[in-house]
Amino acid sequence: MVASQEPLVLPPNVSKSAFGDFISACREATGDNVTVISSASQIEDGDYMKPNYTHDPHHVLKQDFFLASAVIAPRNVADVQGIVRAANKHKVPLWPISIGRNSGYGGAAPRVSGSVVINMGKHMNKILEVNVEGAYCLVEPGVTFHDLHQYLVDNNLRDKLWLDVPDLGGGSILGNTLERGVGYTPYGDHFMMHSGMEIVLPSGELMRTGMGALPHPQQKEGARPEDQPWNETSQLFNYGFGPYVDGLFTQSNLGITTKMGMWLMPNPGGYQSYLITIPREEDLKQAVDIIRPLRLGMILQNVPTLRHILLDAAVMGHKSDYTSDISKPLDDAELDAIAEKLNLGRWNFYGALYGPEPIRNAMWGVVKQAFSSIPGAKFYFPEDRKEKDSVLHMRHKTMQGIPTFDELRWVSWLPNGSHLFFSPIAKVNGEDATAQFAVTKARCREAGLDFIGTFTIGMREMHHIVCIVFDRKNEVQKKKAHWLIKTLIDDCAKRGWGEYRTHLAVMDQIMDTYSFNDSIFRKFNEQIKNAVDPNGIIAPGKSGVWPKQYNRDEWKL
Ligand SMILES: Cc1cc2nc3c(=O)[nH]c(=O)nc-3n(C[C@H](O)[C@H](O)[C@H](O)COP(=O)(O)OP(=O)(O)OC[C@H]3O[C@@H](n4cnc5c(N)ncnc54)[C@H](O)[C@@H]3O)c2cc1C
């Protein structure tokens, strides 16, 4: 090979010499921002703060099961286009990521081993605009929630604008939104709050969506398309004219997104977080039925969370802090003891009130009255909770858009803690939620693992986030975790419950459950894929959508 090393794994059906030519072309196109994964010593699990780009650090299969052949970090849109052109020429699959902290869903790893990871965030990390009047920002892939929050702080803008953040601040605003991720202020549905994307298509052409398709009347003469100013309504109205295509670029494999607009929340002029502890596990039904009308009526203004005791316990300690035998799941008596020790309920509801004091007081009156019908429910504001590592103090920040890293602690519930997310959608209905919880809890126990989970409450549904924590050095436990997620997918599909997002290892299985009318949804997506990306170079297999070059039945896991 010319001017490159041999990777540990080649992309499928790509010869060593074609790969070498591709790498040479990319070195030239990107100013040598190319790392070939040629040695096992490059495969380090690392940690959240220092993400790797080679494989999934939370590997539920073999550590190198999903392995990149190389990582390329473009400096700008032209570099991305150069990479895409070379990939088309040499038929090399690419796997674009922004920051690569897609923890629990595969990290930065590609679905097809040998794919080349495109690290969009390393150099393309500018906050291009924060517009106070319109309450929005325009960012590149490498801008993290933490970065933008810091920008607001540094520029004394927090009194005007807040950013919505997920549990952890280190993710990419753009990457998280492309995964249709969730945060916890009133702007918690990130895809709903985005406005305008710029995308390098599989052909290498550059497109802006929504109002971004309408040129700004003052074009910069001689400038490249990506350097042209955006139409001034691009970040204000996301639908634009004609077919609305933005959704096609989420959880998908149709392009590489280079910029995105995002709405910021005007500072509401007052804020109060709270915790309601709910004593018994079976209170879940009543609690969810209380939540539904409040959320629908927007008395619950944000994305509140109804967390199982063990999620909070895991943030506050390791499993070994609560039991001498970490090899088996905790039983109900132990869960009660933990709840008592931590002065929490079996369920704990974290919400917030936004607006001037009279508005907050009125809302709180309604919320408190509704939850008071649960015998033994208790109500707390942050100043009422004095314990170390209080989850309310942590949520107090998150629900006002201040990023933290505290939630990372639950991943260390077990030694060598790793995790998979199982994330089905539930109705905001007590019976449905109770049934879904019962199925997941029973299967977790069967797998010898604890149920650790939360319901995050959207406008009309709940993301039931089950955190499957396992010891990645324990092969038996890894197998059980894999069995667990596969079994839960089938259990849930039988009951009409589907997942909103998933890990690489089960994308095909989940796509197979979305099978209405002879799997027309998958087939339609495959048609689009093959039309837009005839060489099948962008993220083959993402979300179970395979281009024609790959025999889906052979690739399915
Ligand atoms: C303790 C803990 C708590 C968490 N809490 C939350 C939470 O509250 N909400 C939540 O949503 N998630 C949560 N996560 C999951 C995850 O950490 C975040 O969603 C994170 O933001 C995703 O990683 P990222 O932003 O680095 O995205 P990336 O890993 O960069 O991207 C994710 C995926 O999007 C696609 N993509 C990214 N960039 C591009 C691009 N430029 N072009 C084309 N495709 C692209 C790729 O398919 C990529 O694999 C949590 C994880 C942990 C460990």
Side-chain angles (χ1 to χ4, degrees), residues 415-433:
N416 310 306
S418 286
H419 74 114
L420 275 174
F421 280 124
F422 174 64
S423 318
I425 296 295
K427 283 166 35 180
V428 193
N429 169 288
E431 229 165 79
D432 217 48

Side-chain angles (χ1 to χ4, degrees), residues 12 145 338 409:
F145 293 96
I338 291 174
R409 291 198 293 261

